Amino acid sequence: MLALDRKLLRDLLRLWGQILAIALIVACGIASFVSMQSAYESLKLSQATYYDQYRFAQVFGQLKRAPDSLIPQIQAISGVAQVQTRVVKEVTLDVPGRQEPVTGRLVSIPDQQSPMLNDLHLRQGRYITARRSDEVLVSEAFAKANHLQLGDRLGAVINGRWQSLQIVGIALSPEYIYEIRGGDIFPDNQRFGVLWIGRESLGTAFNMDGAFNDVALSLMPKTNPAEVIFRLDQLLNAYGGFGAYDRADQISNRFISDEILQLRGHAIILPGIFLGIGAFLLHILLSRLISTQRDQIAVLKAFGYRNRDVGKHFLQFVLTIVCLGAAIGIAAGLWLGSSLIKVYVQFFQFPVLQYKVSPGMVMLALFISVGAAVLGAVGAVQRAISLPPAEAMRPEPPAHFHATLMERLGLQRWLSPVGRIILRNLERKPIQAGLSLLGIALAVAILVTGGYAKDARDYLINTQYRIVQRDDVTIVFNEPRPARTRYEVDHLPGVLYAEPFRSVPTRLRFEYRTRKTAVMGLNPTSELHHLVDRHLNAINLPLDGILLSTKLAEILGVQPGQMLTVEVLEGDRPLLTVPVAGLVDELTGLTAYMNIHALNRLLGEGGSISGAFLAVDEHQLEQLYPFLKRTPAVTSVALRKDMIEKFQETIAKTQVIANTIQVTFACIIAFGVVYNAARIALSERSRELATLRIIGFNRAEIALVLLGEQAVLTIAAIPVGLLLGYGIAALLSSAYSTELYRFPFIVTKSSYAFAVIVIAIAALVSGLLVRRQCDRLDLIAVLKSRE
């Protein structure tokens, strides 16, 4: 073993505590990068492969009814490669073992199996038999959630007729990777499922022989989807088209694509924080090591070692620490990434969602960590190789001291001698103190950010499902029903109070901006569906005019008082001009609201309704469920209690993992920064501390001098970290403000308190370890002069 190698080994063993703390911080950065980046690559690759192999469509359109003779005209649109027409209907299902009604989406497929857009992947069973009207394939998520097996039968109300359906296969489709019904945020696979049935059987049941109400298109390369959508809408408008849209707006694809983008962002931000702190600590540690080894460097040069050899030696010291951190980080990152993929498997339905790690990604992680370490060490190494042997043999010149700001202001008389020493040392090393403070503050900010996720979830549940939606059951009809239906709903079993609503598909237009959404007409004295502003104050529906959600108004660029064009996409399809009367602060979806009487009047219809919000006696739900199951007019039933439970269950699975990781990483940062700062301070000031012991200071006072600096930094860092966490939470709230859902910006006192307590414990543990080192200080050794 060469002399420099033996010296390197001794240095590593002597400084093992500081080295391990820095290596763990580097490991946190590498682990967060590897886990997020590998999950991002796995999810993106699985999505792209699935879409390509099973021919996921690029343009979608729904309509009332069109004859098959329209297909050649659609095929003739420039850029269209393939056309797939279908019949799609939502029905109420009776699932064995489940009391409440379940919503099923029936999607037609060819009677004979053949390649098609949005093709199916059979997990179990077989394809349907031609001309068997009772055979269906069911989605795998729905089958698992309801414990359905091949051969089981489901009851369904199909166009007013009760029919028994037999499960012959369990399948997946790229159209339903994230299987939810419109308006939901999280999948409820127990109460919503997709069923595929023969085209002839479904067409006959709904009077769609030789007709379709759903179309999917694939496009030729380099085709502009907007032009195809425009032409398709022109063709479908005469047949009750509800407005075509491209793949980006398809609800399943939107959810999974948003998740992929968020993973990509996390893979950049968190590793940058950890590796930046690691580089700073490496710089401080190496600077101090070189400072204490000036005479050794001089001897090495005197014995013929070149500057290159000395620089290489100290770079090896840094790279050893980084490689240790990288090894731990890569192993932890692979484990975290695979755990993350297991969570995604519960929500995203892929034929294969394998956790794949590319060698290039691992090499990139190593390159990033080594690059950060070299940047942190280059200044200290440069000083080592630039020292002439004669100068390096001399002790470092004493520091230049001057009166501190505290002393110039005459405040020193209010402090004890120990307090003066603490503040003097902090003020004389402002950069080092500031960077240490920043490192601890970032740990606090990470904890606050983790608390924000929980606070936002609780606020969203409370606001959406206890303040806005106060009904017990929401029912939706298969088509608008006449005014007398209101009285029939009032007399449903167990219904205490009912509020009808009218939902109209529309395309809203302001200047050149458009957005397809629903306008919901509500009772002006609604008690079961409240509209609120950002301060949760109730908003009354105007007699005329329209209310827009804040996000929808932002997308359209419209302000209250301006006129909005409303293109109705059903019935006679009137084109209306309506004033924007105000904004409502909603956390889900993009919805517009009107007074139901004003909406009925603008549409030129009587008191038509699309569904109703119901307040129900919970003791009579068992009487209501069977009635709704067999009511042909009811196509969808949503239970508020079940939505809350599913929301909490879904979020809890992901938040437990995320919060555990954040708390662990934040503790490592806090411990690493405080411990290294205290150990370096002990090394730098050992002579000073030993002198204080000789002149009469006891061990507790000496420890207070050393650890008091770290306590001051930690206390000062906490409010800075709380502010940083507040700012990061605000950025996350803005980043998560999508068309599908918005995370509210809310951070509670409990989140701040949790962050403070965790950081205080981490600082206390690191302080106790350094206190042991301080108590073992060898007074004779440190007081020896180097001259």
Side-chain angles (χ1 to χ4, degrees):
M1 182 181 291
L2 299 177
L4 286 181
D5 294 333
R6 288 196 295 271
K7 178 182 178 299
L8 175 63
L9 181 59
R10 286 196 299 268
D11 288 339
L12 291 172
L13 293 175
R14 181 169 56 87
L15 300 171
W16 71 269
Q18 293 170 262
I19 289 171
L20 180 60
I22 296 173
L24 287 176
I25 292 177
V26 173
C28 290
I30 298 299
S32 58
F33 174 79
V34 170
S35 61
M36 298 296 179
Q37 183 69 20
S38 59
Y40 161 79
E41 291 181 0
S42 299
L43 207 56
K44 187 176 181 180
L45 178 63
S46 298
Q47 180 195 39
T49 303
Y50 193 16
Y51 284 0
D52 181 61
Q53 292 182 351
Y54 289 84
R55 297 171 289 279
F56 183 45
Q58 292 163 287
V59 173
F60 301 83
Q62 286 81 44
L63 59 150
K64 194 73 174 177
R65 187 181 190 277
D68 288 343
S69 59
L70 188 65
I71 296 176
Q73 298 181 53
I74 298 175
Q75 185 70 63
I77 296 175
S78 177
V80 172
Q82 186 177 351
V83 178
Q84 180 85 36
T85 59
R86 306 178 295 185
V87 177
V88 178
K89 290 287 185 177
E90 290 198 357
V91 299
T92 300
L93 300 177
D94 183 9
V95 177
R98 189 163 298 282
Q99 289 185 332
E100 66 269 26
V102 174
T103 301
R105 180 171 296 165
L106 297 180
V107 180
S108 71
I109 53 177
D111 292 313
Q112 299 291 339
Q113 188 172 10
S114 60
M116 63 179 180
L117 295 182
N118 308 318
D119 212 344
L120 301 181
H121 173 81
L122 272 175
R123 286 285 209 186
Q124 298 179 43
R126 59 173 175 81
Y127 198 76
I128 59 172
T129 303
R131 303 185 184 280
R132 284 292 302 271
S133 62
D134 65 335
E135 292 189 350
V136 296
L137 309 176
V138 301
S139 60
E140 184 178 49
F142 181 65
K144 284 183 177 179
N146 290 285
H147 309 290
L148 298 174
Q149 303 292 331
L150 298 178
D152 288 349
R153 286 192 170 271
L154 306 172
V157 179
I158 299 180
N159 200 20
R161 294 185 295 271
W162 182 260
Q163 184 171 340
S164 177
L165 303 175
Q166 183 180 19
I167 300 173
V168 298
I170 296 175
L172 299 175
S173 167
E175 192 176 5
Y176 297 101
I177 293 177
Y178 194 72
E179 190 174 318
I180 62 173
R181 47 185 173 190
D184 288 351
I185 303 176
F186 297 102
D188 185 357
N189 301 124
Q190 290 181 332
R191 298 168 186 85
F192 174 77
V194 181
L195 293 79
W196 293 272
I197 189 171
R199 171 68 178 268
E200 183 176 341
S201 301
L202 191 59
T204 301
F206 283 97
N207 301 316
M208 287 278 185
D209 292 323
F212 62 92
N213 69 346
D214 187 279
V215 61
L217 311 178
S218 64
L219 306 181
M220 297 178 183
K222 299 182 180 180
T223 299
N224 185 355
E227 295 179 2
V228 174
I229 290 171
F230 177 76
R231 292 287 308 280
L232 182 62
D233 280 340
Q234 286 183 319
L235 290 176
L236 299 184
N237 281 346
Y239 300 94
F242 298 124
Y245 53 91
D246 68 5
R247 180 187 289 182
D249 291 324
Q250 200 265 347
I251 190 166
S252 171
N253 178 74
R254 171 65 69 87
F255 268 102
I256 189 173
S257 297
D258 284 351
E259 186 64 32
I260 290 173
L261 289 176
Q262 290 172 14
L263 280 174
R264 182 63 169 168
H266 289 319
I268 296 172
I269 297 171
L270 285 179
I273 294 174
F274 291 114
L275 293 176
I277 295 173
F280 153 67
L281 292 177
L282 280 171
H283 174 77
I284 297 297
L285 176 63
L286 195 57
S287 296
R288 182 54 199 159
L289 182 65
I290 291 170
S291 176
T292 58
Q293 294 184 1
R294 288 167 59 91
D295 53 349
Q296 297 179 31
I297 294 172
V299 171
L300 289 172
K301 290 187 176 182
F303 274 92
Y305 285 94
R306 295 168 294 181
N307 288 341
R308 182 177 60 188
D309 299 325
V310 175
K312 179 182 175 182
H313 166 71
F314 286 109
L315 281 177
Q316 285 177 333
F317 177 82
V318 171
L319 292 177
T320 301
I321 300 174
V322 172
C323 288
L324 174 62
I328 298 172
I330 290 173
L334 294 177
W335 177 77
L336 290 173
S338 62
S339 299
L340 193 57
I341 289 297
K342 290 177 183 177
V343 173
Y344 285 136
V345 167
Q346 300 176 39
F347 302 129
F348 299 135
Q349 310 302 316
F350 286 96
V352 178
L353 180 52
Q354 290 185 344
Y355 181 56
K356 296 185 178 180
V357 181
S358 63
M361 187 270 294
V362 175
M363 294 303 297
L364 178 61
L366 288 172
F367 176 78
I368 292 172
S369 59
V370 170
V374 171
L375 286 176
V378 66
V381 172
Q382 180 62 36
R383 286 196 297 275
I385 64 178
S386 64
L387 279 175
E391 180 182 344
M393 289 295 291
R394 303 190 190 99
E396 284 187 278
H400 295 283
F401 293 101
H402 55 81
T404 64
L405 177 63
M406 175 191 68
E407 292 165 336
R408 291 196 296 271
L409 295 176
L411 301 177
Q412 72 276 13
R413 64 179 180 272
W414 301 102
L415 297 174
S416 66
V418 172
R420 295 179 193 178
I421 294 173
I422 291 172
L423 292 183
R424 282 175 184 169
N425 198 61
L426 288 174
E427 188 172 343
R428 285 165 180 159
K429 295 184 177 180
I431 296 178
Q432 183 174 323
L435 291 175
S436 296
L437 185 149
L438 178 61
I440 299 171
L442 286 172
V444 177
I446 292 173
L447 288 170
V448 172
T449 304
Y452 157 73
K454 178 181 180 300
D455 295 338
R457 178 200 68 183
D458 294 342
Y459 182 89
L460 195 154
I461 291 176
N462 183 64
T463 300
Q464 191 67 29
Y465 296 115
R466 295 190 175 95
I467 296 177
V468 176
Q469 295 177 230
R470 305 179 68 182
D471 58 296
D472 299 311
V473 179
T474 301
I475 60 173
V476 179
F477 301 130
N478 55 4
E479 60 183 20
R481 314 300 295 182
R484 66 175 181 273
T485 308
R486 302 176 185 220
Y487 306 104
E488 297 173 5
V489 170
D490 284 333
H491 292 88
L492 289 175
V495 172
L496 304 173
Y497 177 64
E499 286 182 356
F501 62 83
R502 178 74 169 98
S503 181
V504 181
T506 62
R507 182 182 287 110
L508 305 183
R509 182 181 296 110
F510 181 75
E511 296 177 346
Y512 62 90
R513 292 175 287 268
T514 64
R515 184 63 62 187
K516 194 179 77 166
T517 186
V519 174
M520 181 168 284
L522 300 177
N523 193 315
T525 59
S526 177
E527 292 294 330
L528 300 181
H529 195 100
H530 287 179
L531 303 179
V532 297
D533 60 18
R534 64 178 63 252
H535 303 294
L536 301 185
N537 297 317
I539 296 177
N540 296 320
L541 281 166
L543 294 176
D544 293 296
I546 192 170
L547 298 177
L548 304 179
S549 66
T550 305
K551 185 66 178 179
L552 180 56
E554 176 189 324
I555 292 171
L556 294 173
V558 65
Q559 299 292 331
Q562 295 178 313
M563 302 301 291
L564 185 69
T565 301
V566 180
E567 179 185 349
V568 178
L569 299 177
E570 71 172 24
D572 295 331
R573 308 175 72 89
L575 192 64
L576 311 172
T577 302
V578 184
V580 177
L583 305 179
V584 297
D585 198 51
E586 284 200 322
L587 301 175
T588 61
L590 300 176
T591 309
Y593 296 94
M594 289 186 69
N595 185 313
I596 189 171
H597 306 301
L599 182 59
N600 288 149
R601 186 171 62 253
L602 285 174
L603 295 176
E605 58 187 18
S608 295
I609 62 174
S610 303
F613 304 115
L614 309 179
V616 181
D617 182 351
E618 63 178 355
H619 300 294
Q620 298 189 46
L621 284 173
E622 294 184 4
Q623 287 75 41
L624 177 63
Y625 290 156
F627 187 88
L628 293 177
K629 285 181 180 180
R630 295 181 177 270
T631 301
V634 175
T635 188
S636 175
V637 179
L639 311 178
R640 184 173 64 100
K641 182 181 71 173
D642 293 335
M643 287 190 288
I644 294 174
E645 290 177 355
K646 178 57 65 173
F647 195 109
Q648 292 174 324
E649 175 189 347
T650 304
I651 289 292
K653 289 180 180 178
T654 56
Q655 276 200 342
V656 167
I657 297 176
N659 287 346
T660 301
I661 293 173
Q662 284 185 315
V663 170
T664 303
F665 284 6
C667 288
I668 290 173
I669 286 182
F671 174 82
V673 172
V674 175
Y675 179 76
N676 269 279
R679 286 289 289 117
I680 289 170
L682 176 61
S683 177
E684 291 177 339
R685 304 178 63 192
S686 58
R687 186 181 181 87
E688 175 187 338
L689 296 174
T691 302
L692 291 175
R693 285 280 288 122
I694 295 298
I695 64 176
F697 282 71
N698 59 38
R699 289 183 175 180
E701 290 172 324
I702 295 300
L704 183 59
V705 170
L706 181 63
L707 298 179
E709 295 178 16
Q710 312 314 316
V712 170
L713 289 174
T714 302
I715 293 171
I718 285 174
V720 176
L722 296 179
L723 288 174
L724 281 175
Y726 184 87
I728 294 173
L731 290 175
L732 289 176
S733 177
S734 176
Y736 292 153
S737 179
T738 67
E739 295 183 17
L740 298 172
Y741 61 90
R742 273 80 63 191
F743 262 33
F745 177 41
I746 179 77
V747 185
T748 64
K749 294 179 181 178
S750 61
S751 293
Y752 290 131
F754 176 74
V756 172
I757 292 171
V758 170
I759 292 300
I761 292 174
L764 180 62
V765 171
S766 60
L768 290 174
L769 293 176
V770 175
R771 166 69 189 270
R772 294 180 59 191
Q773 299 285 337
C774 185
D775 289 344
R776 297 173 181 176
L777 196 64
D778 188 340
L779 301 183
I780 297 175
V782 299
L783 285 173
K784 287 181 179 178
S785 174
R786 292 177 55 196
E787 287 82 3

